[in-house]
Every structure is written in structure tokens, then in C-alpha cells.
Amino acid sequence: MTPQEYVQAMEQAGVGTAVRDDTASTGIDMPEVDDVPVAESWAAPIKAGDENNTAYGAMIARLRDFLDYLAAARPDADTVAALHADLEGWGERLAPMAVAERDQLFGHLRDQHGRAQTMSPQLVVRKADRDNVWGTVRFGRYFLGGNGAVHGGAVPLLFDEVLGRLANSAGRPHSRTAYLNTDFRSVTPVGVELTVRGWFVSEEGRKRIVRAEVRHGDVLCAEAEGLFVQLNPGQL
């Protein structure tokens, strides 16, 4: 396909044709995630000392809300100064609590939807087995690129989360991303529920090829293919 043919295909699919959304509430005040247990093949066993996981996950949910409100706000000088002081104070309080990577909670709580991190949007796994995963996701205002559309860099972040976790699910030895190719098929909207599906294409030796797609209703927003390679003994 030539570059001209590619552009024509994107235009026919609606890429780049979103109507500008200037609504102040876009991507904020989104519904709470319903209480769906994390699929067994994706969840880590609860161990002694994990009693704080749920509270930490709830705190991260409030942090997600805060980032959406911050992205949507045009605060006055007094509010900016107050937030600066508050954030500086919390940074000073948290600094002495730093731990080694293997012991941190952020991004490591597999019994929580989204692993209790804010780098990518919160993926809610509705169903999963050894080779497939189905879920939902909402991109908040924090992930807005423009014109009501999700920032193009945030979509591959979601795919890496989906495909990386699928590639490492069901007791498989750990692997890392070798490549992740993303195709944008139509505008991915902010603030609405999207469906996510991921599946294994092949698994040969150390190489695992997986694919995923994101849809808004019947509209295909984006799709991706990734190659994940199992780590050798001694690699982290």
C-alpha cells in the first residue's frame, strides 16, 4: 500500500475526522469500576502482608481521578500554589518510604485491576483463559490528545499492558516486549467505555506472538501485534 492509499484508507475509516469536543466534563467524573474480580489466570495469589492492597488500589483510583481533574482544570494562581505545597509535602513524606523495585506496590498489585498504576488506563479484565483475554477500559481526560480523541501514544501503552500480561499469564515464564506494532483504524474517544480483546497467535520456543484490538461499540479503533520473548535464566 502506498502512502497515498494509506491516507485514503484512514480517511474512509474516519481517522482524523473527529468533531471537536470542548465540553469541560469530557473524560472526568467517570463511573466507578464495578466490582469484578480479577480473572484467576491474571491475578497473583494473595500472600501474608497483602492486606493493604485493596486500600492502596483505592488510593490509586483517586490518583487517577486527580490526574483527570488536573488535566481538565485551568486553576487560578492560589490553587496552583496550594497544590504545589501539598504535592511537595506528600513527596517529602513518601521519600523515606522508598523500597527496592521488587517490593514496591505501584504497578505490582496483580490482584487489582490495572495493577494499581497510572501509566496506562485501568484495564478491567472481564474474562480470561490461557490464550485469550476480554476486558473494558476508559481513557480519562489525562489521556486526551485533542478533539476528544485519546493521545496516540497512550493507545500503544494500553496494548503493551494487555499483550504483555497475556504473554506472561497462566504460569508462563516471564517475557519482554521485542516489538509492538500498532495500527490506528479510527478515532479512540476519551471518557467512554471501550472493549478490549487480546489473543495468542502462536507460541514457539521462547517466542510468543499476540494480537489485540480496541473497539468503541462496533467500530474498530486500533489493533496491535506484539512479539514477546521469554527471558533466559538469570535475566530479570
Side-chain angles (χ1 to χ4, degrees), residues 42 159-169 175 177 210 228:
W42 280 49
F159 280 136
D160 198 43
E161 174 76 6
V162 174
L163 295 179
R165 294 195 64 192
L166 177 61
N168 292 318
S169 67
S175 65
T177 314
V210 284
F228 292 78

Side-chain angles (χ1 to χ4, degrees), residues 4-171:
Q4 292 79 8
E5 291 172 335
Y6 183 80
V7 171
Q8 290 176 355
M10 293 298 95
E11 290 176 345
Q12 292 173 0
V15 174
T17 60
V19 176
R20 185 169 184 83
D21 187 349
D22 281 329
T23 305
S25 61
T26 298
I28 60 176
D29 286 332
M30 297 189 298
E32 293 284 341
V33 173
D34 49 1
D35 189 17
V36 178
V38 177
E40 183 176 353
S41 63
W42 280 49
I46 303 298
K47 306 183 298 295
D50 287 350
E51 297 81 4
N52 191 41
N53 286 10
T54 300
Y56 187 91
M59 182 272 292
I60 291 294
R62 299 290 74 78
L63 177 57
R64 288 181 180 277
D65 291 341
F66 173 78
L67 292 173
D68 287 337
Y69 287 126
L70 181 65
R74 186 172 180 172
D76 57 38
D78 289 342
T79 301
V80 169
L83 279 172
H84 180 278
D86 287 346
L87 291 172
E88 186 175 48
W90 278 110
E92 292 173 353
R93 181 171 176 177
L94 289 170
M97 301 179 188
V99 295
E101 177 186 342
R102 65 180 178 274
D103 296 322
Q104 73 179 49
L105 299 180
F106 187 88
H108 287 196
L109 300 188
R110 289 190 290 152
D111 61 315
Q112 302 290 308
H113 291 296
R115 296 184 297 116
Q117 52 81 36
T118 55
M119 182 181 296
S120 61
Q122 184 180 36
L123 172 68
V124 179
V125 176
R126 305 285 176 175
K127 181 181 177 183
D129 57 34
R130 179 176 176 79
D131 298 321
N132 301 272
V133 61
W134 298 264
T136 56
V137 69
R138 290 178 186 265
F139 286 89
R141 185 68 165 265
Y142 178 70
F143 296 102
L144 175 67
N147 296 351
V150 173
H151 190 287
V155 176
L157 276 174
L158 171 65
F159 280 136
D160 198 43
E161 174 76 6
V162 174
L163 295 179
R165 294 195 64 192
L166 177 61
N168 292 318
S169 67

